[in-house]
Amino acid sequence: MTALPNNSYQKGMLKKQIQLILYELYFFAQKDVMIGLSTKQKRGNKMKIAISSDHGGNNLRKEIIQQLEELGLSYKDFGPQTNDSVDYPDYAAPVTEGVASGEYDRGILICGTGIGMSIAANKMKGIRCALVHDVFSAKATRCHNDSNVLAMGERVIGPGLAREIVATWLAQEFEGGRHERRIEKISALEK
Ligand code: RB5
């Protein structure tokens, strides 16, 4: 049996090794999420995604569209097609209308902070838009809130984290159960 470290140098080395293993496990799990999604798609998952941004989210929107293409997912890009300054509610509208009507399964909205887009999106009946800037929340909002629109801020997070958030959010199923009752209570607030 390996002896436990008995000085601070050995303890530090052990801590570093454990951190390295946890780091590798984390990336392995993330890779699985993405591979899981593309495998599902190959099996005939017909998830349709609507995406838009304002000028503050143009670059990140292009990055996420690239990711959707890599994953082989079906999407509709609602622009904008130039870098001119635009008003985010105008670009939230077609995405949220498309998701609320059932034409699209999920929506992705990007602006500078993600805040304006999420406020606008949540005005639309039937939309549960989550503003997400970490992977834990991306998973939790699908499990617990059955969020159908994801908002992110290009000026808040980098493209690598945004891609992980999108992969997690698209792959995660709603848990249902007690969360179903809470979703129904949100819908009742719309009446
Ligand atoms: C545009 O400058 C900026 O206000 C918008 O992208 C967004 O951050 C609003 O919430």
Side-chain angles (χ1 to χ4, degrees):
M1 197 174 120
T2 317
L4 283 172
N6 56 7
N7 63 43
S8 58
Y9 173 76
Q10 285 176 329
K11 280 180 187 161
M13 289 300 289
L14 183 64
K15 198 174 158 193
K16 280 208 173 78
Q17 278 169 353
I18 291 171
Q19 278 171 342
L20 193 66
I21 291 167
L22 289 176
Y23 189 70
E24 281 175 3
L25 280 174
Y26 172 78
F27 273 95
F28 185 71
Q30 288 307 312
K31 202 171 144 222
D32 258 11
V33 166
M34 294 179 214
I35 289 168
L37 184 66
S38 54
T39 307
K40 220 173 167 187
Q41 176 68 18
K42 277 177 205 146
R43 280 196 215 114
N45 178 346
K46 296 274 188 278
M47 186 189 282
K48 283 165 74 184
I49 298 157
I51 183 167
S52 74
S53 71
D54 71 355
H55 54 287
N58 254 339
N59 294 325
L60 186 56
R61 188 183 93 254
K62 286 174 194 157
E63 178 78 32
I64 299 306
I65 285 174
Q66 173 68 36
Q67 179 185 19
L68 298 178
E69 298 227 344
E70 287 163 18
L71 293 170
L73 293 175
S74 159
Y75 71 90
K76 163 93 176 163
D77 177 17
F78 285 93
Q81 302 309 337
T82 71
N83 287 325
D84 295 347
S85 180
V86 294
D87 299 335
Y88 53 81
D90 296 338
Y91 287 83
V95 168
T96 52
E97 278 162 11
V99 173
S101 72
E103 190 177 354
Y104 299 96
D105 302 292
R106 305 271 191 94
I108 299 177
L109 297 171
I110 303 167
C111 62
T113 59
I115 298 172
M117 279 295 202
S118 61
I119 293 173
N122 280 316
K123 297 288 178 198
M124 177 73 68
K125 195 174 175 185
I127 294 300
R128 291 178 300 282
C129 175
L131 172 59
V132 174
H133 289 134
D134 67 277
V135 175
F136 173 81
S137 302
K139 186 174 178 196
T141 190
R142 284 291 311 133
C143 289
H144 292 193
N145 316 125
D146 197 15
S147 53
N148 48 14
V149 175
L150 171 71
M152 295 184 292
E154 180 184 317
R155 297 173 189 158
V156 183
I157 51 170
L161 176 55
R163 275 174 168 261
E164 284 187 33
I165 287 168
V166 168
T168 304
W169 185 77
L170 289 176
Q172 194 63 49
E173 297 289 341
F174 176 48
E175 261 178 38
R178 67 189 188 282
H179 302 296
E180 190 77 60
R181 182 180 70 241
R182 293 162 188 168
I183 300 301
E184 281 164 15
K185 288 187 177 182
I186 292 175
S187 302
L189 293 173
E190 293 174 336
K191 287 173 189 145

